[in-house]
Structures are given as structure tokens and as C-alpha cells.
Amino acid sequence: MSDDRPLPVGEPVDGGTAQVPPREAIDGRFVRLEPLDPDAHAVALFDRSHASAEDAAIWTYLMYGPFDGLDEMRGWITANAASS
């Protein structure tokens, strides 16, 4: 948006406390979640998230990114892949 109004986030979600997922792949109906792996994921994640100016919107609610280059993103992935 070109003005200073906040972007919509959505309705609050009830359901208790979130649990930390296991450090293994989780296959869902529409998505597969797996632990970050810099060697397996950095190039594809960077290419998809930095391909065009329109991709900038995906960073709106994140506390990090966009990254200045693949090496910067790989560094972020490496640091965060080891965290819980």
C-alpha cells in the first residue's frame, strides 16, 4: 500500500498454546514442513522470494529480510537452522 495505514492481519485464533514441532518432516494435506537446511533450501528460497518486485510483499510481517543476496540469506538460514 502506498499510504501509512496498517495492512490487515486477520482474525485472532483460539486453540490453546502452540507446541514446538519435532525436528523432522511433517506431511500435511497441502504442505510439507521440514527443518531448515541451508544446503537443501537456500538457493530455492532465495530465488522464489527475490525473483521480482512483487515478491517484496511476503516480507511485510517478518522481522527479517528481504536479503541483499544469496549469501546473506544463507547466513540467516544457517543461524536459524540450529535454533529450536
Side-chain angles (χ1 to χ4, degrees), residues 24-72:
E24 59 189 42
I26 302 171
D27 290 308
R29 183 172 172 198
F30 298 105
V31 69
R32 175 183 172 90
L33 297 177
E34 54 187 79
L36 277 174
D37 177 342
D39 294 329
H41 302 128
V43 172
L45 286 171
F46 182 81
D47 288 349
R48 179 57 191 100
S49 63
H50 293 76
S52 69
E54 290 81 30
D55 293 330
I58 69 170
W59 303 103
T60 300
Y61 297 109
L62 298 175
M63 303 286 288
Y64 52 87
F67 299 96
D68 288 332
L70 175 59
D71 289 339
E72 184 179 328

Side-chain angles (χ1 to χ4, degrees), residues 10-14:
E11 297 299 320
V13 177
D14 286 330

